[in-house]
Amino acid sequence: MVDRNGKLELVLFVGPPFAGKSLYYLHHLQHTHQRVCPQQIYADSSKQIRSLAQLVVYVIDLLKQGHNVVIDDINWSSGLRSSYISKVKSKLPQCQCRCLVFKPRFSLQQCLWSWYWCSGGEDALRHSDVSGDIADIYLDLWFSDEKRN
């Protein structure tokens, strides 16, 4: 589906685990955009996608098929975001690319609460594919005092 201006759209979600990215997708974009979750795709052996380069090709193929795409991941580094955007723009210059940044209002505590709530078996919000150890690392990185790029 193209937007009302006739352009395809790539949306990169940017934010820590359990900040509400997947929930936002379900409430606002699931009818207009195809969700791509790198961790799910890497875990799906039938897709045979094992690298960022292969993932970008997969995203470009979806866009070429006429789908708007959301990349639902933390997209921590500006380099990673830039890679997605530059590769997509090189193949599909008409594609609109944007980043949607999720900053939890209550910072780390909000993400920890969401993580705890999701791990309690509530299927309604269990859309995170981040394992406990990985989530802990990502949350530490995201909320550390170090300057993020």
Side-chain angles (χ1 to χ4, degrees):
M1 281 190 201
V2 294
D3 74 2
R4 61 181 168 245
N5 298 324
K7 292 189 176 185
L8 291 168
E9 181 178 58
L10 171 67
V11 179
L12 294 165
F13 283 176
V14 179
F18 305 101
K21 298 180 300 293
S22 297
L23 189 60
Y24 183 88
Y25 169 79
L26 289 174
H27 285 273
H28 301 285
L29 298 173
Q30 75 173 337
H31 298 295
T32 59
H33 291 69
Q34 176 81 33
R35 177 179 176 258
V36 173
C37 178
Q39 291 176 339
Q40 277 183 345
I41 289 176
Y42 292 145
D44 182 353
S45 60
S46 69
K47 292 200 186 312
Q48 296 184 344
I49 295 174
R50 300 287 177 253
S51 69
L52 178 61
Q54 291 172 326
L55 183 65
V56 170
V57 168
Y58 176 74
V59 168
I60 289 170
D61 287 345
L62 287 173
L63 289 162
K64 284 181 177 179
Q65 293 169 21
H67 299 283
N68 291 318
V69 175
V70 168
I71 303 204
D72 186 356
D73 200 8
I74 64 170
N75 292 307
W76 167 266
S77 83
S78 60
L80 176 63
R81 296 187 301 269
S82 181
S83 291
Y84 277 120
I85 292 168
S86 65
K87 297 293 184 192
V88 166
K89 285 294 208 178
S90 72
K91 299 292 183 185
L92 298 164
Q94 76 279 13
C95 184
Q96 293 181 341
C97 300
R98 63 186 173 121
C99 293
L100 190 54
V101 179
F102 292 77
K103 291 183 77 174
R105 175 187 271 174
F106 300 106
S107 195
L108 176 61
Q109 285 72 30
Q110 180 177 339
C111 294
L112 291 173
W113 181 89
S114 296
W115 181 13
Y116 179 77
W117 195 82
C118 289
S119 66
E122 296 292 336
D123 289 333
L125 290 179
R126 185 176 278 156
H127 296 286
S128 174
D129 303 297
V130 180
S131 72
D133 292 337
I134 299 297
D136 205 22
I137 291 167
Y138 286 152
L139 287 170
D140 284 346
L141 285 172
W142 196 272
F143 292 103
S144 71
D145 291 332
E146 297 175 18
K147 184 177 175 347
R148 252 186 357 100
N149 55 359

